[in-house]
Amino acid sequence: MPESFSENLRSLCAEHGSIAQICREIGINRQQFNRYLNGSSLPAAHNLRRIARYFSIPEAQLFTANSEFEARLEEAAGPVQHIPADRFLSPFRGQQRNLKRYLGFYHAYFRTPSWGEGIFCSLTRFIEQDGYILSRNLEIAHDPEQSIRQISRYEGMVTLRGNRLFITEHERAREGSVAQTILFSAHRQQLKYLRGMTMGVAWRPFPRPYSARAIWKRLDERVSAREAIAACGVYPVRSPRIDPTVRNYLEAPAQTDLPETPGSVLF
């Protein structure tokens, strides 16, 4: 049974990203967790409960033979879908439990070639509907000098993979663009800021794909919808209305294989 436990735990970790991140989110010491993985130690009852809750499986299942364990995981994932739409939707199903704590409103900050060097702020909401976690995004910007006012609405779906949030959105306008955002929280208990990257299409001076750093700030429940919408727009980088944490993240050197931000053009 100890051998089965360590083998099953390694199988689970292989599907959930880095070991260090898993340890942080469960709240278990990395060295102790390594002993569970190599089979030299078994967790105490309270740690076993935390591990089972984190991976959303019964405690007893962790001690089944690995072949049976893998079969149960495949069964829980559901049958293989052969319709393209079903295959696309599969990662977004059954995410209510994983994403419940993320539901609510956020201000999403990023920099886009459409608005020069400014920091763009949009309003996003995560909601649960029909067994899926959906995103609703509102972008409002105004350029008084050129009498340009932009209002864009996006709808999307959200999933959690390897402790990363994947948001795929499409613009509601006819022939609107599709955007992809990947976010993470520095710690499982800290959801005030979600950091990552966003990819989309700049709409001026001409349509072109770009990638940029993005950081989302969770809104306090006391903030009214009117206040949240009024804060949307384009801000100068040094604007006192920009949270220093937001500014510092967007200005930091990129730690990614993608082109550097702000508003890096891919093609």
Side-chain angles (χ1 to χ4, degrees), residues 99-107 123-128 133-137 158 191 194 216-221:
L99 295 172
K100 182 177 181 180
R101 62 199 182 97
Y102 291 98
L103 298 180
F105 287 89
Y106 299 82
H107 273 144
L123 179 63
T124 295
R125 183 186 185 189
F126 287 164
I127 63 173
E128 180 181 344
I133 303 302
L134 307 180
S135 66
R136 299 284 187 269
N137 188 300
V158 189
L191 298 181
L194 300 176
W216 291 20
K217 182 177 180 179
R218 191 181 186 97
L219 299 186
D220 190 286
E221 293 181 355

Side-chain angles (χ1 to χ4, degrees), residues 243-261:
D243 182 328
T245 299
V246 170
R247 180 187 301 110
N248 291 341
Y249 181 76
L250 295 182
E251 289 195 308
Q255 302 294 321
T256 171
D257 292 334
L258 290 173
E260 292 188 359
T261 57

Side-chain angles (χ1 to χ4, degrees), residues 92-94 96 127-134 136 157:
F92 298 95
R93 294 193 179 100
Q96 300 96 314
I127 63 173
E128 180 181 344
Q129 182 177 315
D130 299 329
Y132 295 94
I133 303 302
L134 307 180
R136 299 284 187 269
M157 306 183 74

Side-chain angles (χ1 to χ4, degrees), residues 4-267:
S4 296
F5 175 84
S6 61
E7 192 173 2
N8 294 340
L9 186 59
R10 290 195 297 271
S11 295
L12 288 171
C13 290
E15 299 291 333
H16 284 76
S18 74
I19 301 298
Q21 182 74 11
I22 292 172
C23 291
R24 285 195 297 268
E25 297 195 347
I26 296 179
I28 294 179
N29 178 274
R30 172 67 183 270
Q31 291 182 339
Q32 182 65 44
F33 197 79
N34 283 341
R35 288 195 282 270
Y36 302 157
L37 290 172
N38 62 33
S40 62
S41 176
L42 286 175
H46 66 284
N47 277 347
L48 177 62
R49 187 175 300 113
R50 292 159 77 182
I51 292 171
R53 285 179 177 174
Y54 178 78
F55 291 111
S56 301
I57 61 174
E59 295 175 27
Q61 187 175 333
L62 287 165
F63 293 92
T64 59
N66 187 251
S67 57
E68 180 183 347
F69 181 81
E70 295 284 358
R72 288 189 182 184
L73 288 184
E74 291 183 10
E75 182 180 349
V80 176
Q81 305 292 338
H82 298 286
I83 301 174
D86 286 338
R87 286 200 298 268
F88 177 83
L89 292 175
S90 179
F92 298 95
R93 294 193 179 100
Q95 291 289 310
Q96 300 96 314
R97 182 175 179 179
N98 292 338
L99 295 172
K100 182 177 181 180
R101 62 199 182 97
Y102 291 98
L103 298 180
F105 287 89
Y106 299 82
H107 273 144
Y109 296 90
F110 57 97
R111 299 171 74 177
T112 162
S114 296
W115 297 95
E117 293 299 312
I119 294 178
F120 198 103
C121 174
S122 65
L123 179 63
T124 295
R125 183 186 185 189
F126 287 164
I127 63 173
E128 180 181 344
Q129 182 177 315
D130 299 329
Y132 295 94
I133 303 302
L134 307 180
S135 66
R136 299 284 187 269
N137 188 300
L138 174 65
E139 295 182 353
I140 301 176
H142 184 214
D143 185 346
E145 295 182 0
Q146 299 187 37
S147 299
I148 296 175
R149 181 175 175 81
Q150 175 196 354
I151 299 179
S152 301
R153 292 178 173 83
Y154 289 80
E155 295 181 344
M157 306 183 74
V158 189
T159 188
L160 187 70
R161 285 291 185 273
N163 305 315
R164 299 294 185 265
L165 287 169
F166 292 82
I167 305 111
T168 301
E169 300 177 297
H170 67 91
E171 191 176 3
R172 288 170 55 181
R174 182 180 181 184
E175 309 240 342
S177 63
V178 175
Q180 176 75 55
T181 301
I182 303 175
L183 302 171
F184 66 95
S185 58
H187 301 285
R188 185 176 177 83
Q189 291 75 23
Q190 192 279 103
L191 298 181
K192 184 175 181 179
Y193 298 102
L194 300 176
R195 299 166 172 84
M197 297 287 293
T198 188
M199 292 180 289
V201 176
W203 64 278
R204 68 170 189 165
F206 55 87
R208 50 178 175 165
Y210 75 95
S211 69
R213 279 192 166 209
I215 178 169
W216 291 20
K217 182 177 180 179
R218 191 181 186 97
L219 299 186
D220 190 286
E221 293 181 355
R222 294 171 294 181
V223 177
S224 69
R226 183 184 297 273
E227 293 173 319
I229 293 174
C232 294
V234 182
Y235 294 91
V237 174
R238 298 300 163 191
S239 170
R241 297 183 65 181
I242 296 295
D243 182 328
T245 299
V246 170
R247 180 187 301 110
N248 291 341
Y249 181 76
L250 295 182
E251 289 195 308
Q255 302 294 321
T256 171
D257 292 334
L258 290 173
E260 292 188 359
T261 57
S264 302
V265 178
L266 293 178
F267 302 103

